[in-house]
Amino acid sequence: MRLTGRTILITGGSAGIGLAFALKFLELGNEVIVTGRRQAVLDAVKAQHPRLHTIQSDVADPAQIAALAARMKADFPKLDVLMNNAGIGVPKNLRSSAADLAGLMQEMDVNVGGVIRMTSALIDTLTANHGTVINVSSLLAFAPVPAMPIYSATKAAVHSYTQSLRFQLEDSGVEVIELMPPAVQTDMTSEFGEARISTITTDELVKQTFAALAAGKREIRPGQTNQVAFMRRLAPDLINRQLWNASKALVPAAAA
Ligand SMILES: NC(=O)c1ccc[n+]([C@@H]2O[C@H](COP(=O)([O-])OP(=O)(O)OC[C@H]3O[C@@H](n4cnc5c(N)ncnc54)[C@H](OP(=O)(O)O)[C@@H]3O)[C@@H](O)[C@H]2O)c1
């Protein structure tokens, strides 16, 4: 992937992995736009990094996606990189009924619906500009963390969708990249204290990922991801059981 002179939209770029990538892309001389739902967080990011463009937008809301795509076409017609990064993950207890059946699917709406709808809304622009799509899935696309069953399923879905997208776009001039991080120290993992899951920093993730992007890799498996993908093929039951044992403590007492 070409790493300079691009116009890059990062969903969920106001914190964590998205913000770390936004700042690295900015440092390399790109125009970078980040989105998120909380205006106060976007304002704080803008105050600290005035060269970043910030736009409030929820990837779970089709109407907000359509409005964002229209704004991109009007204000950033050179947009040529979409990084589908926004995501949420919540431990769930599957042993009793959820009080809120609509809310039960929220991770699907954000993590899967967001990726598919954002890509569709911007595909004309990305094709016209010979662009790049970067979908952020996870190590969990290869093996679930059973304490986060729906989240893990969303990441397997993004992995599958990304492979199809890559084939369908192979003659279009749009490159499709998948970033599959291991556990990373962000707000999302801040409550992993009780689980036996090792994490890397966003700095380490950025370092390894940019080396892979510069080398032209299409499926990027930093840190433990590559190891788990390999081990999962050799001994699936063992890896699945290890991830269950390591994450068990995260399962909430009642259905959430
Ligand atoms: N951290 C990890 O261990 C890890 C590992 C593998 C993959 N990932 C993936 O990496 C991505 C980023 O995760 P992270 O750890 O950086 O999470 P994070 O620190 O919680 O940050 C999430 C970002 O996404 C935004 N966001 C959440 N829901 C959104 C929505 N509906 N629409 C738009 N923006 C939304 C958040 O801002 P608002 O809340 O203001 O909207 C925030 O900017 C996710 O896709 C995650 O699944 C994370």
Side-chain angles (χ1 to χ4, degrees), residues 79-232:
L79 179 78
D80 62 351
V81 180
L82 168 63
M83 182 166 175
N84 282 311
N85 164 79
I88 54 169
V90 191
K92 302 272 187 204
N93 185 328
L94 301 180
R95 291 174 70 125
S96 55
S97 294
D100 172 11
L101 289 177
L104 187 61
M105 296 304 282
Q106 203 194 355
E107 289 152 288
M108 286 286 181
D109 293 339
V110 175
N111 301 2
V112 183
V115 171
I116 294 171
R117 290 192 172 110
M118 282 297 301
T119 304
S120 183
L122 289 168
I123 195 63
D124 293 348
T125 305
L126 292 167
T127 305
N129 294 337
H130 303 290
T132 303
V133 178
I134 305 173
N135 288 342
V136 181
S137 63
S138 167
L139 170 157
L140 305 184
F142 293 123
V145 153
M148 299 176 77
I150 302 171
Y151 176 77
S152 300
T154 68
K155 294 303 177 178
V158 170
H159 180 51
S160 173
Y161 167 77
T162 304
Q163 292 168 81
S164 300
L165 184 70
R166 187 178 295 123
F167 279 114
Q168 287 213 20
L169 297 183
E170 74 184 348
D171 299 325
S172 70
V174 178
E175 68 181 332
V176 177
I177 293 169
E178 182 176 1
L179 170 58
M180 310 181 80
V184 182
Q185 288 157 32
T186 67
D187 291 347
M188 185 180 280
T189 52
S190 60
E191 297 188 357
F192 277 17
E194 289 176 49
R196 289 179 281 117
I197 295 172
S198 63
T199 55
I200 63 170
T201 62
T202 52
D203 281 352
E204 185 56 33
L205 179 70
V206 165
K207 192 172 141 205
Q208 291 191 33
T209 304
F210 274 79
L213 288 172
K217 293 252 167 67
R218 296 288 168 91
E219 189 171 288
I220 301 173
R221 303 173 176 185
Q224 281 194 323
T225 303
N226 215 21
Q227 211 179 319
V228 169
F230 180 68
M231 287 302 293
R232 176 70 176 61

Side-chain angles (χ1 to χ4, degrees), residues 232-249:
R232 176 70 176 61
R233 254 186 263 148
L234 286 185
D237 293 345
L238 178 75
I239 291 296
N240 285 355
R241 176 65 57 188
Q242 276 182 353
L243 286 171
W244 173 225
N245 288 339
S247 69
K248 235 178 221 179

